[in-house]
Amino acid sequence: MIRLAARAAFALSLALAFGARAAGIEGRAASRLVEYSVKTKLKHYEQLTLFLLPPEGGRINGVLCLSLLAKDPDEVRAQLLGKSERRSPHRALAYAAEHDLAVVAWGAHRLWDPSRNWDELSRAEAKKADSDFDLVANAWDAGIKYFIKNHGLPAGGYLMMGSSGAAQYAQRLALRRPERFLAVHAHIASSFDVPVKKGASLLWCVTTGENELGYERSRRFFRAARDMFYPIVYKAYPGLGHEGNAQVTALGFACFDYALAEYKRATELNGGKPTLPDW
């Protein structure tokens, strides 16, 4: 893990270059974008729509999942194509292009109290939140299986990232489908679900600000995850509130670089069979 500092510095130096390439990458994406919707069985969140953006060259070396702040599929599509007035995940798209990663994206939908952790909920509240998101995780996985069968997506080793409410969604999904993931970066999540034993199979990068309202909740998640032997990188930035910065982005990509390198090494040592690292 000591290599992460050097990787973070390198990633930071590339951040501006990623931005410079973004417009061209997004402009060529429309013809490759695939959309697939799955029913969730929830009345207040009836359908989950996933978007798949394969690499330009066609060869898929991995998957980068983007949990996005978007109110509907049209907004997700606009963000992926660089047509959103609100935001665009251009650095993530450029990172995926650099590594020949397929992008899977969706809009995060809140099904929990964003101001409370798992340990602040009543038993009934926790049960309802778990039940609802379990259905969403099932729908998400059904969409992934469709992409695996019809578009050549690998079955696991995925990276995932999200910020704010989308980070809350990402970490809850990773805890329910850890077999799909290699690493996840959750930034300023504000609220967290309870760590589970199987979540220790992937690398976690949890970032926040010391002025963020969920700072203490993030520390409780970190301590609980560490007690369960999670491989986890935790960083709270002094003076930072509910926002991001270049250092946060660089650290997240450095964690992904590290995870991909370790995944490649473990796979090669196992005769080419996809193998998660022994963190």
Side-chain angles (χ1 to χ4, degrees):
M1 301 295 283
I2 59 176
R3 287 171 284 178
L4 280 174
R7 291 183 184 277
F10 179 68
L12 181 57
S13 71
L14 291 179
L16 293 178
F18 283 169
R21 296 188 56 204
I25 292 170
E26 293 159 350
R28 296 189 297 269
S31 63
R32 308 194 316 277
L33 196 61
V34 180
E35 182 177 339
Y36 186 71
S37 297
V38 186
K39 297 296 184 182
T40 65
K41 300 180 181 179
L42 288 171
K43 291 183 179 180
H44 53 293
Y45 184 21
E46 295 182 354
Q47 183 170 283
L48 172 65
T49 300
L50 299 178
F51 290 83
L52 169 64
L53 182 62
E56 272 195 281
R59 179 184 176 186
I60 298 176
N61 284 339
V63 178
L64 175 60
C65 292
L66 303 181
S67 180
L68 300 175
L69 292 171
K71 65 182 184 299
D72 54 40
D74 289 340
E75 174 61 22
V76 176
R77 187 185 303 106
Q79 289 188 35
L80 293 175
L81 298 180
K83 297 179 180 180
S84 172
E85 295 181 358
R86 297 180 60 196
R87 61 179 64 84
S88 174
H90 59 86
R91 290 182 180 175
L93 295 175
Y95 184 87
E98 290 284 331
H99 295 82
D100 291 324
L101 306 177
V103 172
V104 175
W106 60 89
H109 188 100
R110 183 182 299 164
L111 297 169
W112 54 86
D113 185 341
S115 66
R116 291 188 290 170
N117 265 12
W118 78 92
D119 52 358
E120 299 170 285
L121 300 176
S122 70
R123 181 174 298 181
E125 289 172 328
K127 183 178 180 180
K128 180 65 166 61
D130 282 345
S131 176
D132 285 355
F133 203 84
D134 285 348
L135 291 175
V136 173
N138 290 341
W140 180 88
D141 205 57
I144 292 298
K145 288 177 180 176
Y146 173 84
F147 289 149
I148 292 171
K149 180 180 179 180
N150 295 283
H151 295 279
L153 216 63
Y158 300 0
L159 308 173
M160 178 165 56
M161 60 192 299
S163 179
S164 187
Q168 297 173 27
Y169 194 115
Q171 57 96 10
R172 284 169 169 82
L173 181 59
L175 291 170
R176 286 164 175 79
R177 290 293 182 274
E179 69 278 5
R180 295 289 187 204
F181 296 104
L182 172 66
V184 59
H185 178 201
H187 180 57
I188 53 173
S190 295
S191 82
F192 295 82
D193 209 347
V194 58
V196 294
K197 184 177 180 180
K198 59 184 181 179
S201 63
L202 60 139
L203 176 64
W204 292 78
C205 178
V206 176
T207 54
T208 189
E210 291 185 357
N211 293 343
E212 210 277 323
L213 291 175
Y215 168 57
E216 289 298 335
R217 291 191 288 274
S218 74
R219 285 173 56 84
R220 295 206 303 276
F221 176 83
F222 168 64
R223 289 193 293 265
R226 185 182 57 188
D227 289 345
M228 299 184 75
F229 303 104
Y230 275 39
I232 184 167
V233 175
Y234 176 84
K235 176 66 175 177
Y237 291 84
L240 193 69
H242 197 77
E243 58 195 323
N245 61 29
Q247 288 73 31
V248 169
T249 301
L251 179 59
F253 287 141
C255 285
F256 286 171
D257 286 346
Y258 175 78
L260 289 172
E262 290 299 296
Y263 187 50
K264 180 180 179 181
R265 183 184 64 82
T267 296
E268 290 174 348
L269 290 174
N270 198 24
K273 180 181 179 180
T275 304
L276 289 176
D278 183 5
W279 304 109

